[in-house]
Amino acid sequence: MQFEQLPALASEVARVEMVREYAEMALKLDSLVGDIEDAVSSSVTGKLKSRVDNSEETHHVAIGYLKSIEDLLASVAVTRPQWTRLLSSVDHRVDRSLAILRPQAIVDHRSLLSSLGWPPSLAGSKFSSINSGKQAEIVNPLFVMRGDLKSKYSESFLALCNLQGLQKRRKARQLKGHCVGNQLRQPLWVIEELVNPISTAAQRHFSKWAEKPEFVFALAYKIIRDFVDSMDEILQPLVDKANLIGYSCREEWISGMVIALSTYLAKEIFPKQIEVLQESSSSSDSGSTAYQARVSWLSLVDLMISFDKRIQDLILSAGLLLTVKDDDSWQRISVLCVFCDRPDWLQVWAEIERQESLNKLRSAMDLEKNWSTGIRGTMLEYSDDYKAPVITSVVHHTLSLLIDRARPIPSITLRAEFISMSAAPIISEFLGYMLRRCQEAEGLTALADDNAVLKVSQSINAARYFESTLAEWCEDVFFLEMENLTVNGESGCIFQQEINHLKEFRVEWTDKISTVILRGFDARSRDYLKNKRQWLEKSDGPAVSRTFIESLDYMQEQLSKLQGGLNTVDFVTVWRGVASGVDQLLFAGIFTSGTKVSSDGVERLQGDLSVLFAIFSAWCLRPEGFFPRLSEGLRLLKIDEQQLREGAFKDKNWLREHGIRHLAAADTERIIKNRVYDA
């Protein structure tokens, strides 16, 4: 044999070995599938002949074969993934057997439940008090079953659990490599068989209480609570024995009943509520009728929120946490999931909440006393920082209530939409009211009156408070979950648009206050700036201009009043804006207007500016820094004539050495040329 023939020979041997393995696996699988088909067929035949069959044993035998087949298929899927036709053909035959086996197992299980007396009668039963912790007087069939009946029920229960576990394994294998999320998780079949008949029986009672939904929720909660202990004590050990991982009978029982109640609400209760709302809006007596319809809707939602809270407490009381913490699992234990399927109903709810809140808020906004910062001599707890008026506490409380209403909604997207439709318009309404209030004050007195400035200051303080509050809320986990969503075409913080509008409002009106003060200062300092001769006159008295002092008195008085009414942050913005405006005004009127200045004039100007700086020293340590043009212009005027060499002031290094950094070269040259030195 040639050495070159060895690779080809090895390849042929490997191919033959693979064919042998394929044949052995196909024969083994064919034998097991045949056994399943025989077991299923014999079970059906036995029932047709009306024999006293041992169906539970037949089911366990068939399930044993199914597990063996699934073990082999899982091994093939890993080691020989190319055998796709073998896998699909076996799956096809197994599916046909399961299509017969599962319904048969369910029918047998339902028959056992019926012989146990499930569902128990709800009519005339003496339930324990809803608020008491006493044991229910109703007879629980799961607690009273004994002997052979209990053994048969346990075997049937295990058979269904094993079938579901097997089905879950098969789906996981078939969908391996695909992003399925929680799609493989199904409700527990055995618990569904308990929930469906008792929920059907309960709905016969629900139909009698269409006008009294509180009775519906009371009965639903009572059924859930009175049977939940049997789920833990009797059924959970069986689920654990079947190795169904990730299932809690308590949670499955509760979620099954909650889903049944939600379905009833969606089919019977909410359509009638919508109909009443529509009729009330079109009736002649629409005022009182519409109000009653809205109250009825809100009462129903209150009952749902209260029910959900009690249900969650019931789950957590056993020390259990939700097996999957996401919207899907939350919706399974919340009757508010009704709104997940009907977002138009969520919109109706949000609109009602918004309208009711606005009706209460408007009356509070119209009371002038609510715009003060004190309540009978006391201050609001946040007034020291924001000096916010009383009305802000009313609006804050209103927003907090609306946000609390949104918290139980079992969907991040719907929570964001609810807040966007209910709470956000409240902020916009309040901002619009503040804008009208400020415009009214501006229109009457052009903000020249102290009361008008106080009104504007109150609105600015309120805007600053809510801007800070909304930004703080957006850092909370509850709102951070919504940042990746797109609400109203925008992503990010859900209140970002409102925060921006509040900031724009605040900046606009603080600028207007600064402008008003500067306008008054300008009017009072015109004579001072027009008097060009004063800078060349000799003065024997104090080197301070009396007319300038009057202008400064006005500015100081206005800023002092504003300091008492405006919040600290925005007051800093105002006085800095005033300082910048005064700096530009005096610099243009003295230094760049061609005014000649002598040595006595420099001394007078220094005295005037020292008084100006002294006023602003109450709010900063180095006021000269907020008047860069005036400070540097005065510094140029004080330079000795000997230091001004020919064109030296045009050199950037020379200017930097003398502390000139904010003046343009043309301004520097003009100031130096207007300096008049004594002979």
Side-chain angles (χ1 to χ4, degrees):
M1 181 180 298
Q2 298 293 328
F3 180 77
E4 291 78 5
Q5 295 177 338
L6 288 178
L9 181 61
S11 177
E12 181 65 17
V13 170
R15 188 186 68 81
V16 171
E17 178 64 18
M18 186 178 67
V19 170
R20 184 186 64 79
E21 290 180 4
Y22 184 91
E24 289 180 355
M25 181 61 68
L27 289 173
K28 189 181 297 185
L29 288 170
D30 183 67
S31 175
L32 289 171
V33 172
D35 291 338
I36 294 172
E37 293 172 343
D38 291 343
V40 172
S41 177
S42 64
S43 175
V44 173
T45 303
K47 286 186 174 295
L48 291 175
K49 292 181 178 180
S50 301
R51 294 177 181 173
V52 180
D53 62 305
N54 191 358
S55 58
E56 286 79 10
E57 183 178 351
T58 304
H59 295 159
H60 281 296
V61 170
I63 291 170
Y65 290 142
L66 287 170
K67 286 184 176 180
S68 299
I69 292 175
E70 186 57 33
D71 291 339
L72 291 175
L73 293 180
S75 175
V76 170
V78 174
T79 59
R80 301 291 185 183
Q82 68 272 26
W83 294 354
T84 55
R85 292 188 178 181
L86 177 62
L87 292 172
S88 61
S89 63
V90 174
D91 279 337
H92 179 67
R93 291 179 64 184
V94 170
D95 285 338
R96 287 190 301 179
S97 297
L98 283 174
I100 300 173
L101 185 62
R102 180 189 170 185
Q104 192 179 75
I106 289 176
V107 168
D108 293 341
H109 190 76
R110 288 175 181 174
S111 177
L112 273 173
L113 283 175
S114 179
S115 63
L116 285 173
W118 190 272
S121 175
L122 301 178
S125 300
K126 295 181 179 180
F127 288 94
S128 61
S129 173
I130 292 176
N131 296 320
S132 69
K134 298 179 181 179
Q135 187 69 26
E137 296 182 17
I138 186 173
V139 177
N140 188 339
L142 298 178
F143 276 130
V144 299
M145 61 181 179
R146 296 287 185 273
D148 186 56
L149 194 59
K150 182 177 181 179
S151 176
K152 286 185 176 181
Y153 178 77
S154 298
E155 290 179 2
S156 178
F157 189 98
L158 286 171
L160 269 183
C161 287
N162 288 326
L163 267 179
Q164 185 167 4
L166 181 66
Q167 183 75 355
K168 187 177 179 181
R169 282 185 61 193
R170 296 182 72 245
K171 289 296 181 183
R173 171 179 57 80
Q174 293 169 354
L175 298 176
K176 187 176 182 179
H178 297 81
C179 183
V180 294
N182 296 325
Q183 297 177 15
L184 293 178
R185 195 182 193 283
Q186 293 181 330
L188 203 55
W189 295 347
V190 285
I191 303 299
E192 278 188 322
E193 296 307 317
L194 293 173
V195 168
N196 292 337
I198 199 169
S199 63
T200 301
Q203 286 181 19
R204 289 193 289 270
H205 294 275
F206 294 166
S207 60
K208 304 173 186 177
W209 301 326
E211 304 299 326
K212 297 286 185 180
E214 60 270 20
F215 293 165
V216 172
F217 288 99
L219 178 59
Y221 177 75
K222 178 151 191 56
I223 293 173
I224 294 172
R225 189 199 63 186
D226 288 349
F227 291 97
V228 74
D229 289 339
S230 61
M231 303 298 152
D232 287 337
E233 298 174 17
I234 298 176
L235 303 186
Q236 187 63 46
L238 296 176
V239 171
D240 296 339
K241 185 177 180 181
N243 291 325
L244 266 180
I245 300 173
Y247 282 99
S248 162
C249 287
R250 169 181 285 261
E251 185 181 330
E252 291 296 319
W253 164 254
I254 293 173
S255 66
M257 289 299 301
V258 167
I259 292 172
L261 177 59
S262 302
T263 304
Y264 177 79
L265 292 174
K267 290 183 177 179
E268 302 295 336
I269 303 297
F270 272 99
K272 293 179 180 178
Q273 291 282 340
I274 292 293
E275 184 179 350
V276 171
L277 284 171
Q278 292 174 346
E279 290 177 354
S280 65
S281 61
S282 60
S283 65
S284 57
D285 186 18
S286 59
S288 60
T289 307
Y291 174 75
Q292 292 297 330
R294 293 196 300 269
V295 169
S296 176
W297 180 285
L298 294 178
S299 298
L300 177 60
V301 173
D302 288 338
L303 290 170
M304 296 170 72
I305 293 175
S306 176
F307 179 84
D308 280 355
K309 185 177 180 181
R310 299 175 74 186
I311 288 299
Q312 292 175 20
D313 291 342
L314 200 59
I315 292 179
L316 300 177
S317 63
L320 297 175
L321 296 176
L322 292 179
T323 51
V324 183
K325 293 183 179 180
D326 56 12
D327 284 354
D328 290 338
S329 63
W330 192 357
Q331 289 170 17
R332 292 170 54 239
I333 59 168
S334 172
V335 289
L336 289 172
C337 68
V338 169
F339 297 109
C340 298
D341 298 326
R342 293 298 301 267
D344 54 325
W345 292 351
L346 182 80
Q347 186 176 357
V348 172
W349 176 24
E351 175 63 24
I352 293 174
E353 294 279 6
R354 182 186 67 82
Q355 192 60 45
E356 292 297 309
S357 300
L358 279 178
N359 291 340
K360 298 175 183 177
L361 187 60
R362 283 167 181 157
S363 59
M365 289 191 296
D366 290 336
L367 293 176
E368 188 61 32
K369 67 177 183 179
N370 286 337
W371 289 92
S372 63
T373 56
I375 308 177
R376 294 180 183 177
T378 62
M379 303 294 288
L380 296 178
E381 60 181 17
Y382 46 76
S383 62
D384 290 340
D385 295 329
Y386 300 101
K387 297 181 181 178
V390 177
I391 189 63
T392 54
S393 65
V394 180
V395 180
H396 184 281
H397 180 67
T398 301
L399 292 175
S400 298
L401 289 178
L402 289 173
I403 291 171
D404 288 341
R405 300 285 274 179
R407 291 183 188 276
I409 299 175
S411 167
I412 296 176
T413 303
L414 294 186
R415 289 197 293 274
E417 290 181 0
F418 181 86
I419 293 174
S420 178
M421 291 185 291
S422 61
I426 298 292
I427 303 172
S428 300
E429 179 76 15
F430 182 60
L431 180 58
Y433 189 92
M434 291 194 297
L435 179 60
R436 292 190 295 272
R437 184 178 171 85
C438 291
Q439 288 173 341
E440 179 183 351
E442 183 184 31
L444 291 175
T445 64
L447 299 184
D449 181 70
D450 291 344
N451 289 331
V453 174
L454 179 60
K455 278 189 174 182
V456 175
S457 299
Q458 292 165 344
S459 297
I460 292 174
N461 293 342
R464 164 67 69 177
Y465 171 74
F466 277 111
E467 183 184 339
S468 175
T469 300
L470 294 178
E472 183 179 345
W473 282 355
C474 288
E475 296 176 359
D476 188 84
V477 175
F478 177 73
F479 292 101
L480 288 175
E481 292 178 332
M482 306 176 189
E483 283 199 354
N484 295 328
L485 303 176
T486 302
V487 181
N488 294 332
E490 297 183 1
S491 58
C493 176
I494 193 170
F495 292 122
Q496 191 59 53
Q497 186 175 0
E498 286 71 28
I499 292 174
N500 294 338
H501 290 165
L502 288 167
K503 184 177 181 180
E504 291 170 3
F505 168 83
R506 185 175 49 77
V507 170
E508 176 186 356
W509 287 94
T510 51
D511 287 345
K512 286 189 176 184
I513 291 178
S514 300
T515 302
V516 168
I517 297 176
L518 284 172
R519 191 185 302 128
F521 178 83
D522 181 29
R524 288 164 175 79
S525 61
R526 285 176 186 171
D527 292 340
Y528 171 73
L529 295 176
K530 287 180 180 179
N531 187 4
K532 308 292 185 181
R533 297 169 58 185
Q534 64 178 323
W535 308 116
L536 296 174
E537 294 175 351
K538 293 185 178 181
S539 176
D540 297 331
V544 178
S545 302
R546 181 176 300 176
T547 55
F548 186 60
I549 294 299
E550 294 175 356
S551 303
L552 294 180
D553 284 343
Y554 163 79
M555 181 178 65
Q556 185 180 24
E557 181 183 5
Q558 295 300 313
L559 289 175
S560 297
K561 291 179 181 178
L562 194 62
Q563 186 178 13
L566 193 61
N567 69 83
T568 305
V569 177
D570 287 308
F571 176 71
V572 170
T573 303
V574 170
W575 76 251
R576 286 185 176 182
V578 170
S580 177
V582 170
D583 186 46
Q584 295 180 24
L585 177 65
L586 296 182
F587 183 78
I590 299 174
F591 291 95
T592 62
S593 61
T595 303
K596 300 294 183 179
V597 184
S598 66
S599 297
D600 288 334
V602 172
E603 185 178 350
R604 178 188 295 272
L605 179 60
Q606 184 175 0
D608 292 346
L609 294 183
S610 65
V611 178
L612 173 65
F613 297 158
I615 291 175
F616 285 89
S617 64
W619 307 302
C620 61
L621 295 176
R622 188 176 171 275
E624 297 85 352
F626 295 96
F627 300 89
R629 296 175 182 84
L630 290 177
S631 300
E632 293 181 4
L634 180 61
R635 192 176 296 125
L636 282 174
L637 292 177
K638 292 169 66 176
I639 295 177
D640 293 337
E641 186 178 9
Q642 291 81 3
Q643 295 179 347
L644 295 174
R645 301 187 307 273
E646 184 68 27
F649 54 83
K650 297 181 180 180
D651 184 19
K652 292 182 179 180
N653 293 329
W654 185 90
L655 292 173
R656 193 177 297 110
E657 289 174 2
H658 288 78
I660 311 301
R661 293 180 174 83
H662 296 86
L663 299 182
D667 292 336
T668 303
E669 183 177 359
R670 187 180 297 113
I671 293 171
I672 291 177
K673 287 183 177 180
N674 288 331
R675 177 68 164 90
V676 177
Y677 292 95
D678 297 335

